[in-house]
Amino acid sequence: MNNLQIKSLVRPNILNLQPYSSARHEFEGKADCFLDANENAYGSAVGEYNRYPDPLQHALKKRLAALKNIAAENIFIGNGSDEVIDLAIRIFCEPVNDNIIICPPTYGMYAVSAAINNVGIIKVPLGVNFEIRTKEILQAANQHSKILFICSPNNPTGNSMCKDELVALLQQFPGIVIIDEAYIDYSPQASLLQVLSQFPNLIIMQTLSKAWGLAGLRLGIGFASGDIISLFNKVKPPYNVNAASQQLALEALENVDLVSSRIQQTILEKQSLVKAFRQLAFVEALFESDANFILVKCKDADDVYRWLLGKCIVVRNRSKEPGCDNCLRITIGTPAENNQLVNMLKNYDANTKQ
Ligand SMILES: *Cc1c(COP(=O)(O)O)cnc(C)c1O
């Protein structure tokens, strides 16, 4: 797919949109006296937040660009990945007429965002081993299918999708392909960032909410061609990432070693948790996970879920998701939390006739 074809996927009102031009857009230079944005010149009631933030997050993008070995022009930063998902749908999908394709069981926000925008949803479920079904996806796509969402490693199943299949879809799907790599830092599989420049229809999403431990700051990242990034910049709210988040993320991104060692620790904890779960009688199956959680098939997931809630431990009940009958999704905790969980579940086993 070439850039001209990408342009034909964009909603005409977005192509023609004259974006809002903020005071900070129009004057980016240094001045002594900023009297252009009706900010409070006397200062903020706490910290130093009386000035509007950099609308395009230059410093943060520069740091991310160095870290990810990619040009800053290919980076978009959103108020969480959820904003990236919503903007992508609003840029490419005409309400009522267009649709997105999702592969359940998967992250719920793709469908919610589509529904909010009154955009159709075509579901092509994952296969028996939670793999993507390339042929079925291509068959299901029609001329109004503007975006294909694929999550890899997938939430809630934990598996990574086969790279050859992803590449085949990038080559053959007649629209935008969004690969959600929220858990890529935990995965032995390489990110698709390395092939970004080969595919004008590729958008890769990552987030600082998981491995970087910054869920509270709301920072999601989109990587794409310069043309697509320009569309995102046009449609986003002018100051979508607040000053505190920009500044704290910049500091956090200096702590690469700390984050790597926590990733390693999480992976080791996951392995011991898997070992412990294999000993539990109520566990029917465990799914290999490349993420910071495991999916556990139980004899009676609702019962285990309620038991744990009674013991003040909350996990995610995914048993109503297609292909996830009786499945709980359990996040890897600290060693102390994981021990507490396993001890409770041994009690559950002892108290339940299997
Ligand atoms: C947690 C998660 C995200 C992160 O969302 P944020 O809005 O960036 O916190 C994105 N995609 C998937 C699949 C996730 O599980």
Side-chain angles (χ1 to χ4, degrees):
M1 197 175 289
N2 60 39
N3 284 322
L4 213 64
Q5 289 167 303
I6 300 290
K7 212 171 166 185
S8 73
L9 295 170
V10 180
R11 291 168 68 198
N13 64 311
I14 301 296
L15 273 183
N16 297 330
L17 177 71
Q18 191 60 44
Y20 176 73
S21 182
S22 70
R24 286 297 169 272
H25 270 116
E26 289 181 5
F27 183 84
E28 286 182 37
K30 286 244 180 301
D32 290 333
C33 201
F34 279 107
L35 302 175
D36 58 345
N38 298 348
E39 295 153 335
N40 190 323
Y42 298 85
S44 40
V46 66
E48 281 186 46
Y49 299 109
N50 56 321
R51 299 296 175 184
Y52 281 101
D54 176 359
L56 291 171
Q57 312 97 23
H58 288 92
L60 186 51
K61 282 181 186 166
K62 194 171 163 209
R63 178 74 192 120
L64 271 174
L67 200 68
K68 301 282 177 181
N69 195 21
I70 198 149
E73 296 78 50
N74 296 120
I75 302 178
F76 175 80
I77 302 177
N79 187 358
S81 307
D82 296 341
E83 182 174 43
V84 182
I85 296 166
D86 179 67
L87 287 173
I89 291 176
R90 284 196 284 151
I91 289 166
F92 294 104
C93 301
E94 202 62 65
V96 182
N97 290 335
D98 287 339
N99 63 71
I100 65 163
I101 297 186
I102 61 169
C103 304
T106 193
Y107 188 45
M109 277 309 289
Y110 317 137
V112 171
S113 229
I116 290 170
N117 288 295
N118 206 10
V119 161
I121 301 161
I122 295 179
K123 295 178 181 171
V124 182
L126 296 173
V128 278
N129 295 313
F130 299 134
E131 75 279 11
I132 37 170
R133 296 189 303 151
T134 304
K135 200 174 82 224
E136 286 79 356
I137 291 171
L138 293 172
Q139 276 166 357
N142 59 45
Q143 76 209 68
H144 297 292
S145 303
K146 295 295 184 67
I147 306 178
L148 165 63
F149 281 94
I150 293 174
C151 189
S152 179
N154 187 42
N155 177 2
T157 57
N159 61 305
S160 301
M161 301 306 159
C162 168
K163 186 179 168 193
D164 292 344
E165 299 295 324
L166 295 177
V167 167
L169 283 166
L170 282 163
Q171 286 164 340
Q172 295 173 65
F173 184 73
I176 301 292
V177 179
I178 300 188
I179 311 280
D180 186 345
E181 294 188 338
Y183 300 97
I184 195 69
D185 300 300
Y186 297 102
S187 172
Q189 275 219 6
S191 163
L192 279 194
L193 266 183
Q194 292 157 334
V195 298
L196 182 66
S197 61
Q198 296 171 31
F199 300 105
N201 59 336
L202 171 60
I203 300 177
I204 296 168
M205 293 203 312
Q206 294 185 3
T207 178
L208 299 189
S209 294
K210 305 286 154 67
W212 286 92
L214 299 175
L217 296 186
R218 312 305 304 127
L219 290 155
I221 310 164
F223 301 93
S225 72
D227 287 351
I228 291 180
I229 297 296
S230 301
L231 290 163
F232 273 84
N233 288 336
K234 214 159 110 161
V235 177
K236 80 182 183 74
Y239 303 111
N240 62 324
V241 180
N242 71 71
S245 290
Q246 290 190 43
Q247 181 192 322
L248 289 167
L250 204 51
E251 286 176 39
L253 291 176
E254 292 304 315
N255 299 326
V256 177
D257 292 342
L258 174 73
V259 168
S260 309
S261 75
R262 285 183 181 162
I263 290 170
Q264 286 317 310
Q265 194 186 0
T266 305
I267 293 170
L268 289 175
E269 277 298 312
K270 179 172 63 182
Q271 288 161 354
S272 23
L273 210 53
V274 165
K275 256 192 209 150
F277 270 76
R278 289 199 200 289
Q279 311 300 316
L280 296 168
F282 74 85
V283 172
E284 298 241 291
L286 282 162
F287 298 95
E288 292 287 328
S289 162
D290 287 344
N292 67 338
F293 56 81
I294 53 174
L295 189 70
V296 184
K297 193 177 176 77
C298 311
K299 292 211 166 92
D300 184 348
D302 291 342
D303 194 54
V304 180
Y305 179 75
R306 277 192 304 265
W307 162 278
L308 285 174
L309 269 192
K311 311 288 176 196
C312 294
I313 297 178
V314 43
V315 298
R316 193 93 154 111
N317 191 347
R318 298 280 78 183
S319 48
K320 301 290 172 289
E321 298 297 307
C324 293
D325 268 3
N326 275 314
C327 283
L328 300 177
R329 191 194 69 195
I330 302 179
T331 308
I332 311 304
T334 62
E337 288 171 331
N338 299 335
N339 279 335
Q340 195 189 344
L341 171 74
V342 169
N343 287 333
M344 286 301 171
L345 290 175
K346 283 179 183 162
N347 284 339
Y348 175 83
D349 254 359
N351 281 280
T352 321
K353 277 208 193 75
Q354 302 295 337

